[in-house]
Amino acid sequence: MGLKNKLSNVLRILSIDAIEESQSGHPGASMGMADIAEVLWRNFYKHNPTNPNWWNRDRFVLSNGHASALLYSLLHLTGYKLNIQDLKNFRKYLSKTPGHPEVYRTPGIEISTGPLGQGLASGIGMAISESILASIFNRSNYSIIDHYTWIFVGDGCLMEGISHEACSLAGTLGLGKLIVFYDKNDISIDGNVSEWFSDDTRKRFEAYNWQVLEVNGHNKKEIFEAIKLSKKNLIQPSLIMCSTVIGYGSPNKEGKSIVHGSPLGAQEVELTRSKLNWTDDPFKISSKIYQEWDFKHQGKLLENKWKDLFSQYKKKYPELSEEYIRRMSRRLPESFELSIKNFLVTVQNLPENISTRQSSQKTLEIFGAILPELLGGSADLAPSNLTLWLGSKSIFKNKSGNYIHYGVREFGMTSIANGIFHHGGFIPYTATFLVFSDYARNAIRMAALMHTHQIFVYTHDSIGLGEDGPTHQPIEHISSLRYIPNLSVWRPCDTVETVSAWYYAVKRKNGPTALILSRQNLLQFSRDISQTNNIMRGAYILREYGQKIDLIIIATGSEVELAVTVSKILFKKSYGVRVISMVSTDVFDSQNSSYKNFILPKNIIKRVSIEAGSSEYWYKYTGLDGLQIGLNNFGESASGSKLFEVFGFTVKKILKRLKKFLKD
């Protein structure tokens, strides 16, 4: 066997060795895509294994993440800090080689992939970031941002609906530095996909405004030439359709669905090694092969060449270079803290009763002017979500813009924004109606899992949105979002809380934040400095009536006004009442026990929650003997005020329930 074949076969062998050692994994795609990977990584992929986070590296995303053994083999061979023992630990607890690629776990992994199609969408987000940053910072003879995004996808990725959302947008944007390799092996878990996946993929992507090339995925010369052609086209993204054989090299299992997600088995592994003329023992690789694959020296040369260019750029454009460094280092501007504190002072006495979506837009006017890294977007609802501010510029009209009209693509939008953040240089915020967060749910979960700094703006937060009816009225959505680990959920009651929520979301660097905002106008509350500061602790005492507290009312958002009004009436009837605005349950839960006991003393057992949504979540604060005033059925089509009356969110109806509760 010639060295050229060995250089791709080593990927197959290492992959099946890792899978066999683990007795778990997906050998099919790893073996089928080995030739594509070898051509790309040894001839075109710009990276530095000794510095995986070099800013101008190419980005590589394995959207069909079940082929992770292939990617780990590539990282190991090219010189990343991933040794043979790490490959032997494939899929084992806390190893650097988990079942699917996980960002921050393994050097060289750009983003977590697993749910099919999301890697493709997030990779498109990375290509969008490159395009915008290049337009902002590059100058004549100084292309300091100049890299490609390479994505591997399989049949499953292209069957997922998110692929349509994201690829349609990519074609419209003309992302010429985006190149996608489609592993067209026509096999999925259920068998030959031709029975249920008969799309003309070429025509589909050409309709999206993509360049489409077709090659034999095992013919290295064809692959090489296709990549060269793709790199020349800078006005269209490219799809290289690679016809491959799943499990290539396995005598009895190649081309069959059984090889997709199960180890080959000891006997078939031996037959495969024989067919590939591979005589070395498992996990034993010759020094010659390591030598051919090692990319550390080339990677350093590539980065050093870029550093020389950037050094010249810094001298000629010192302010631009400092701003680029700040943004890629994820540092907020020095003026941010003081500006927001001053803004909070000015909004303390806003006389107007406005919706929190309007409060959010007012906040964006201030934040947007301070934070050029804020990259906004809405799923076709900007006039309703109020995510545009005076300085918003659409990237469809201005390549250096700061706003993306995502169209009706909630899932694609959220996953694309995940990629935008993980590329670097931006804090993305995305928006839709709260009820449509269901469409984006898995990308929200991935954002939380990956500690993505993304801000979700979800407006029209309850039956208060009115006449659009139950299909548009969220009931269970706030609670269900609160159950996602590492997602911070805020439901502010007025402008001051909304500004605080945005402030928290921008400052929070270890995960996403969801801002749940009203359509209807809300009362603006006065506060002292202590109360304003305590908003950032998730819950605080907004009002307290009486020396001895008989009842604690916990409320969020639009229902805080109800809680305060009811409390005043109860106080006149000789009840002591504390009103807690619990703007963020997860932030409150993270406080120390002293503060939590101060807000919710254990000796006060009469507790009530009021939120115009699912009530079950609130038992953790009210206790089993508490009262949860919520909504556990779907809404109706009527005005918001009528629906609040019908479903019991009026002062009169709440008082009636509280009087009975206090007597029990």
Side-chain angles (χ1 to χ4, degrees):
M1 176 175 59
L3 181 61
K4 285 187 176 180
N5 287 332
K6 280 189 174 182
L7 293 177
S8 52
N9 282 343
V10 68
L11 298 172
R12 297 184 171 98
I13 294 298
L14 275 177
S15 295
I16 62 177
D17 283 348
I19 292 166
E20 201 63 27
E21 179 79 10
S22 172
Q23 284 298 291
S24 174
H26 301 72
S30 298
M31 299 168 74
M33 297 193 80
D35 297 312
I36 307 164
E38 189 262 318
V39 174
L40 172 63
W41 278 62
R42 294 190 65 252
N43 297 280
F44 296 97
Y45 183 45
K46 182 173 68 177
H47 63 121
N48 182 5
T50 62
N51 182 14
N53 298 316
W54 166 37
W55 290 338
N56 198 43
R57 68 191 183 278
D58 287 352
R59 270 52 169 188
F60 177 82
V61 177
L62 184 71
S63 186
N64 48 341
H66 52 269
S68 58
L70 172 64
L71 180 49
Y72 299 145
S73 300
L74 287 162
L75 294 170
H76 168 71
L77 290 168
T78 52
Y80 287 80
K81 289 184 178 179
L82 203 69
N83 58 38
I84 279 290
Q85 188 57 49
D86 292 320
L87 298 187
K88 290 180 179 179
N89 289 337
F90 180 57
R91 290 187 159 227
K92 293 179 182 174
Y93 180 60
L94 295 183
S95 75
K96 291 164 73 173
T97 49
H100 288 74
E102 303 289 353
V103 70
Y104 308 130
R105 174 67 64 86
T106 314
I109 300 299
E110 300 288 355
I111 200 160
S112 297
T113 53
L116 293 177
Q118 283 201 63
L120 172 58
S122 294
I124 288 169
M126 292 177 180
I128 290 173
S129 292
E130 192 276 343
S131 175
I132 300 173
L133 288 171
S135 184
I136 294 171
F137 291 103
N138 286 354
R139 292 295 182 268
S140 179
N141 299 320
Y142 293 96
S143 295
I144 60 162
I145 301 161
D146 179 18
H147 52 264
Y148 283 79
T149 301
W150 312 90
I151 307 176
F152 278 10
V153 304
D155 294 297
C157 295
L158 297 191
M159 281 188 263
E160 290 286 358
I162 192 173
S163 69
H164 166 68
E165 295 184 27
C167 293
S168 168
L169 190 67
T172 301
L173 287 168
L175 299 173
K177 289 185 178 177
L178 170 67
I179 300 176
V180 177
F181 298 84
Y182 168 27
D183 179 30
K184 192 179 184 305
N185 60 42
D186 297 327
I187 296 292
S188 70
I189 295 173
D190 279 356
N192 193 309
V193 301
S194 61
E195 294 181 37
W196 52 84
F197 185 45
S198 58
D199 306 16
D200 188 327
T201 302
R202 182 184 191 99
K203 288 182 179 178
R204 172 188 167 188
F205 275 80
E206 286 175 343
Y208 292 152
N209 188 39
W210 285 56
Q211 172 179 252
V212 182
L213 305 169
E214 297 185 57
V215 300
N216 177 341
H218 302 298
N219 185 315
K220 295 182 183 182
K221 184 177 179 181
E222 287 187 22
I223 298 165
F224 187 92
E225 292 302 321
I227 295 174
K228 280 176 62 179
L229 279 173
S230 297
K231 290 194 70 174
K232 287 179 181 178
N233 187 343
L234 294 177
I235 61 172
Q236 290 176 296
S238 294
L239 178 72
I240 304 177
M241 298 176 61
C242 305
S243 296
T244 64
V245 177
I246 191 171
Y248 182 91
S250 170
N252 298 304
K253 295 187 176 182
E254 68 175 17
K256 299 177 181 177
S257 61
I258 192 174
V259 79
H260 168 83
S262 300
L264 295 181
Q267 185 176 352
E268 189 66 15
V269 167
E270 288 306 313
L271 292 173
T272 302
R273 296 175 99 87
S274 177
K275 182 175 179 180
L276 297 178
N277 195 23
W278 198 271
T279 57
D280 292 331
D281 292 336
F283 299 106
K284 297 294 182 184
I285 308 298
S286 72
S287 59
K288 179 65 176 174
I289 289 178
Y290 273 126
Q291 220 172 14
E292 290 291 327
W293 266 103
D294 193 330
F295 203 77
K296 293 193 293 294
H297 179 67
Q298 294 102 307
K300 287 177 183 177
L301 290 176
L302 287 168
E303 183 173 359
N304 287 337
K305 183 179 179 182
W306 178 82
K307 282 181 175 178
D308 289 341
L309 179 68
F310 190 68
S311 179
Q312 298 170 40
Y313 177 83
K314 284 174 71 175
K315 290 175 183 176
K316 191 160 186 177
Y317 305 103
E319 291 183 6
L320 272 177
S321 63
E322 282 304 309
E323 177 65 6
Y324 176 65
I325 291 169
R326 181 191 71 78
R327 288 174 60 167
M328 292 302 290
S329 302
R330 306 198 192 282
R331 295 197 313 264
L332 295 175
E334 291 181 5
S335 62
F336 177 72
E337 293 284 346
L338 182 60
S339 299
I340 302 312
K341 286 177 181 176
N342 290 338
F343 180 50
L344 268 171
V345 171
T346 65
V347 300
Q348 289 288 347
N349 299 309
L350 270 181
E352 54 190 337
N353 291 341
I354 58 175
S355 65
T356 48
R357 63 172 175 160
Q358 290 172 292
S359 301
S360 173
Q361 189 175 45
K362 286 179 178 291
T363 305
L364 271 172
E365 292 291 346
I366 303 300
F367 280 45
I370 305 168
L371 301 169
E373 59 263 49
L374 274 183
L375 180 59
S378 178
D380 199 50
L381 290 169
S384 296
N385 298 147
L386 302 185
T387 44
L388 288 166
W389 57 285
L390 289 176
S392 292
K393 298 175 185 174
S394 170
I395 67 168
F396 295 93
K397 296 178 180 178
N398 184 335
K399 285 189 176 181
S400 60
N402 58 7
Y403 197 86
I404 303 173
H405 293 280
Y406 283 100
V408 188
R409 301 179 176 101
E410 295 88 356
F411 191 8
M413 168 184 71
T414 309
S415 192
I416 285 169
N418 284 341
I420 285 171
F421 168 75
H422 284 283
H423 174 279
F426 295 103
I427 301 172
Y429 66 92
T430 54
T432 186
F433 290 169
L434 175 59
V435 76
F436 300 146
S437 65
D438 279 345
Y439 281 134
R441 178 57 55 99
N442 202 261
I444 298 169
R445 181 179 186 271
M446 290 298 290
L449 187 152
M450 295 187 292
H451 299 271
T452 304
H453 193 183
Q454 182 177 173
I455 301 168
F456 306 122
V457 178
Y458 295 138
T459 67
H460 296 59
D461 66 350
S462 73
I463 53 172
L465 68 89
E467 291 85 353
D468 276 344
T471 57
H472 283 54
Q473 293 164 5
I475 304 298
E476 75 282 11
H477 297 73
I478 303 175
S479 290
S480 65
L481 288 173
R482 288 176 178 139
Y483 283 120
I484 297 176
N486 198 42
L487 172 64
S488 190
V489 180
W490 289 64
R491 189 176 185 232
C493 73
D494 66 359
T495 299
V496 173
E497 285 192 358
T498 304
V499 175
S500 299
W502 264 104
Y503 175 68
Y504 177 91
V506 168
K507 290 271 290 182
R508 185 183 189 225
K509 294 185 178 182
N510 65 341
T513 303
L515 309 181
I516 314 298
L517 307 173
S518 74
R519 179 198 184 205
Q520 71 272 33
N521 291 344
L522 305 180
L523 180 69
Q524 306 297 301
F525 293 97
S526 61
R527 295 171 184 80
D528 60 29
I529 294 174
S530 175
Q531 287 175 308
T532 301
N533 290 339
N534 282 340
I535 293 172
M536 300 299 288
R537 304 187 79 167
Y540 65 103
I541 302 169
L542 177 63
R543 295 290 184 267
E544 192 158 277
Y545 303 98
Q547 297 296 316
K548 179 180 177 295
I549 302 302
D550 303 299
L551 175 70
I552 294 177
I553 301 179
I554 308 165
T556 75
S558 52
E559 289 70 71
V560 171
E561 181 180 349
L562 275 173
V564 170
T565 304
V566 165
S567 298
K568 291 178 181 177
I569 296 171
L570 288 174
F571 176 58
K572 290 178 181 178
K573 297 180 181 295
S574 302
Y575 288 103
V577 186
R578 171 179 290 181
V579 178
I580 303 299
S581 176
M582 191 169 283
V583 63
S584 174
T585 60
D586 57 277
V587 173
F588 176 68
D589 289 347
S590 71
Q591 301 303 306
N592 59 45
S593 58
S594 175
Y595 184 76
K596 287 191 280 191
N597 290 334
F598 167 68
I599 297 295
L600 297 174
K602 293 178 181 178
N603 64 313
I604 303 177
I605 60 173
K606 287 289 185 180
R607 302 179 183 182
V608 178
S609 65
I610 307 176
E611 185 171 70
S614 179
S615 65
E616 282 85 351
Y617 182 86
W618 291 98
Y619 281 101
K620 65 187 289 189
Y621 303 109
T622 65
L624 295 176
D625 296 323
L627 175 63
Q628 304 80 37
I629 298 175
L631 185 61
N632 296 313
N633 53 277
F634 298 117
E636 290 288 346
S637 181
S639 68
S641 57
K642 177 66 176 178
L643 292 174
F644 272 111
E645 178 188 348
V646 168
F647 290 109
F649 293 94
T650 64
V651 171
K652 183 178 179 180
K653 289 186 177 182
I654 289 174
L655 273 174
K656 184 177 180 181
R657 294 187 67 180
L658 287 180
K659 286 177 182 177
K660 183 178 184 302
F661 174 66
L662 288 166
K663 288 177 182 178
D664 287 344

